[in-house]
Amino acid sequence: MNARRGRPRDPDTDARILRVAGEQLLERGYTAFTVDHVAEIAGVAKTTLYRRWPTRDHLAIAVIGRGQEEIEIADTGDLRADLIDFMAQIAAGLNRTRRAGRGANDQDDQSAGLVAELVAAAARHADIGTLVRDLFDKRIALAVARIEAARRRGEVRSDSDPHLLVDQLAGALYYRILITGKPIDRRYATHLVDAAFAGVLPR
Amino acid sequence: MNARRGRPRDPDTDARILRVAGEQLLERGYTAFTVDHVAEIAGVAKTTLYRRWPTRDHLAIAVIGRGQEEIEIADTGDLRADLIDFMAQIAAGLNRTRRAGRGANDQDDQSAGLVAELVAAAARHADIGTLVRDLFDKRIALAVARIEAARRRGEVRSDSDPHLLVDQLAGALYYRILITGKPIDRRYATHLVDAAFAGVLPR
């Protein structure tokens, strides 16, 4: 995402910086999140951080990117169960990110919080936008591969469009977090997958 | 959204300010959009604007809210056609808003642009969040009423959930604008509605 100059990256240092940055982001939220403060707590020179992540937007997105890589799509041979689990993981991640920096006493359960700030960061910086879209492309490709395998098994119809199905499922979760402020959880994920599978036309 | 003090609002002045603000927002984008500049062009005292819209976030959301009210959901008695038309209108509005302030030479066709800034504004200010969610609640209620009417006509199954269907449809559009950067238009809206109607299960 930014040019790599000088000494090669030290993966251990990167991992420590991103761990500290993640903790700070969750504890303090975006308003109080600064590259300088993360450098201080991680015990690393500020220049080291700025060389890798030129703004706090870049650093925050790197943290979220690492979190995304940890989400796995199960492959049990039952597409419905695998997609419910995948959507429930996305919902849990969005709920955690949404509440970053807000104490237990903060009762607002509708604001998109940090999720919205990250979406704005991706819209504001072309390089972050590219990075985020690449992350999502990779994750969506995994989900599409699962759906295609299920299509070969006859679990879903041969004329169904895997990319459209992902748009409908993941889209509903992001829409509720970012736009309508409605809650998302495993129960909602289950209803969502069942509704998208069944459609609404009379049988 | 903010306390109304002093003289009652003049609807003509409000309309003029919002029209000027909308033009400025589309021409100049969010970085250059200021309450002061809108006051100057509209020929209205700055204090008049700040009393009604305390920040540029508030003013921008008021512009968008007015635009939302202009979107109508057709009622032709054919739910599929009405929903395709509704989704195509949402897509057109999102595409226009996304490109606000960017010249014809700006070839970036993936950034969410102003849409993302407005979503962040709603997450940042509790009063804007409430206002935006109320707007969406009203619009969603209209779409749900159409789906319920179609359910009574037997166009869609009695066990289908109108709110879930709206989440799947509108969600997919916002997901593509805000997250994946994929294009949305009437053709996509048609595929989307057809896919959500048919589901993916073998018949």
Side-chain angles (χ1 to χ4, degrees), chain A residues 86-87 90 94 136 139-140 164-176 192, chain B residues 171-172 175 179:
Chain A
F86 182 39
M87 292 303 137
I90 295 175
L94 287 173
F136 275 90
R139 199 161 70 155
I140 289 169
L164 258 180
L165 181 57
V166 174
D167 284 354
Q168 285 172 53
L169 297 177
L173 299 180
Y174 281 86
Y175 183 64
R176 287 169 74 98
L192 177 64
Chain B
Y175 183 64
I179 309 290

Side-chain angles (χ1 to χ4, degrees), chain B residues 40-200:
Chain B
E40 195 186 313
I41 299 195
V44 176
K46 290 178 191 179
T47 47
T48 305
L49 270 84
Y50 281 110
R51 207 180 303 130
R52 292 173 191 183
W53 303 285
T55 71
R56 65 176 187 152
D57 284 348
H58 291 81
L59 184 55
I61 293 285
V63 170
I64 298 297
R66 175 160 290 220
Q68 290 246 17
E69 280 163 17
E70 285 165 10
I71 292 187
E72 300 207 342
I73 311 182
D75 191 6
T76 65
D78 175 351
L79 181 68
R80 174 181 173 276
D82 292 347
L83 286 179
I84 289 172
D85 191 63
F86 182 39
M87 292 303 137
Q89 284 188 71
I90 295 176
L94 287 173
N95 286 328
R96 259 196 316 273
T97 307
R98 188 178 75 74
R99 290 196 55 84
R102 288 154 54 186
N105 291 331
D106 182 337
Q107 294 299 312
D108 182 348
D109 56 1
Q110 297 199 289
S111 166
L114 179 61
V115 179
E117 298 289 356
L118 295 172
V119 167
R124 213 174 286 139
H125 308 273
D127 59 344
I128 295 184
T130 303
L131 189 77
V132 169
R133 287 189 294 269
D134 285 352
L135 276 174
F136 276 90
D137 280 353
K138 266 195 256 173
R139 199 162 66 156
I140 290 169
L142 287 177
V144 164
R146 294 278 187 280
I147 298 168
E148 285 172 343
R151 208 163 57 175
R152 287 191 294 273
R153 296 194 300 265
E155 270 189 77
V156 302
R157 283 201 320 279
S158 59
D159 67 348
S160 55
D161 180 336
H163 280 96
L164 259 179
L165 181 58
V166 174
D167 285 353
Q168 285 172 52
L169 297 177
L173 299 179
Y174 281 86
Y175 183 64
R176 287 169 74 99
I177 282 281
L178 288 166
I179 309 290
T180 67
K182 298 284 187 291
I184 52 175
D185 54 17
R186 181 169 288 269
R187 191 163 154 267
Y188 177 76
T190 305
H191 287 319
L192 178 64
V193 170
D194 282 339
F197 270 39
V200 297

Side-chain angles (χ1 to χ4, degrees), chain A:
Chain A
M1 112 202 177
N2 50 325
R4 297 176 189 196
R5 287 164 298 203
R7 281 179 297 174
R9 292 183 180 205
D10 171 359
D12 288 348
T13 305
D14 271 20
R16 189 169 79 249
I17 294 170
L18 291 178
R19 200 188 59 240
V20 167
E23 288 163 5
Q24 290 299 310
L25 204 52
L26 283 182
E27 272 171 33
R28 299 158 60 98
Y30 213 49
T31 311
F33 181 73
T34 69
V35 176
D36 286 7
H37 189 71
V38 171
E40 195 186 312
I41 299 197
V44 176
K46 289 178 190 179
T47 49
T48 305
L49 269 85
Y50 280 109
R51 208 179 302 131
R52 291 169 192 187
W53 303 286
T55 71
R56 66 176 188 151
D57 284 348
H58 291 80
L59 185 55
I61 292 287
V63 170
I64 297 298
R66 177 159 288 222
Q68 290 245 18
E69 280 163 16
E70 286 165 10
I71 292 187
E72 301 206 343
I73 311 182
D75 191 7
T76 64
D78 175 350
L79 181 69
R80 174 180 173 275
D82 292 348
L83 286 179
I84 289 172
D85 191 63
F86 182 39
M87 292 303 137
Q89 283 188 72
I90 295 175
L94 287 173
N95 286 328
R96 259 195 316 274
T97 306
R98 189 178 74 73
R99 290 197 56 83
R102 288 154 55 187
N105 291 331
D106 182 338
Q107 294 299 312
D108 182 349
D109 56 359
Q110 298 200 289
S111 166
L114 180 60
V115 179
E117 297 290 355
L118 295 171
V119 167
R124 215 175 282 140
H125 308 273
D127 59 344
I128 296 184
T130 303
L131 188 77
V132 169
R133 287 189 292 270
D134 285 352
L135 275 173
F136 275 90
D137 280 352
K138 266 197 255 174
R139 199 161 70 155
I140 289 169
L142 288 177
V144 164
R146 293 276 187 281
I147 298 168
E148 286 172 342
R151 208 163 55 176
R152 288 191 293 273
R153 294 194 301 266
E155 270 187 77
V156 302
R157 284 201 321 278
S158 58
D159 68 347
S160 55
D161 180 335
H163 280 96
L164 258 180
L165 181 57
V166 174
D167 284 354
Q168 285 172 53
L169 297 177
L173 299 180
Y174 281 86
Y175 183 64
R176 287 169 74 98
I177 281 281
L178 288 166
I179 308 291
T180 67
K182 297 285 188 290
I184 50 175
D185 54 17
R186 181 169 288 270
R187 190 163 155 268
Y188 178 75
T190 305
H191 287 319
L192 177 64
V193 170
D194 282 339
F197 270 39
V200 297
L201 293 178
R203 291 182 228 275

Side-chain angles (χ1 to χ4, degrees), chain B residues 19-34 38 56 59-61 63-64 97 99-102 114 118:
Chain B
R19 199 187 61 240
V20 167
E23 288 163 4
Q24 289 300 308
L25 204 51
L26 283 182
E27 273 171 32
R28 299 159 60 97
Y30 213 49
T31 311
F33 181 73
T34 68
V38 171
R56 65 176 187 152
L59 184 55
I61 293 285
V63 170
I64 298 297
T97 307
R99 290 196 55 84
R102 288 154 54 186
L114 179 61
L118 295 172

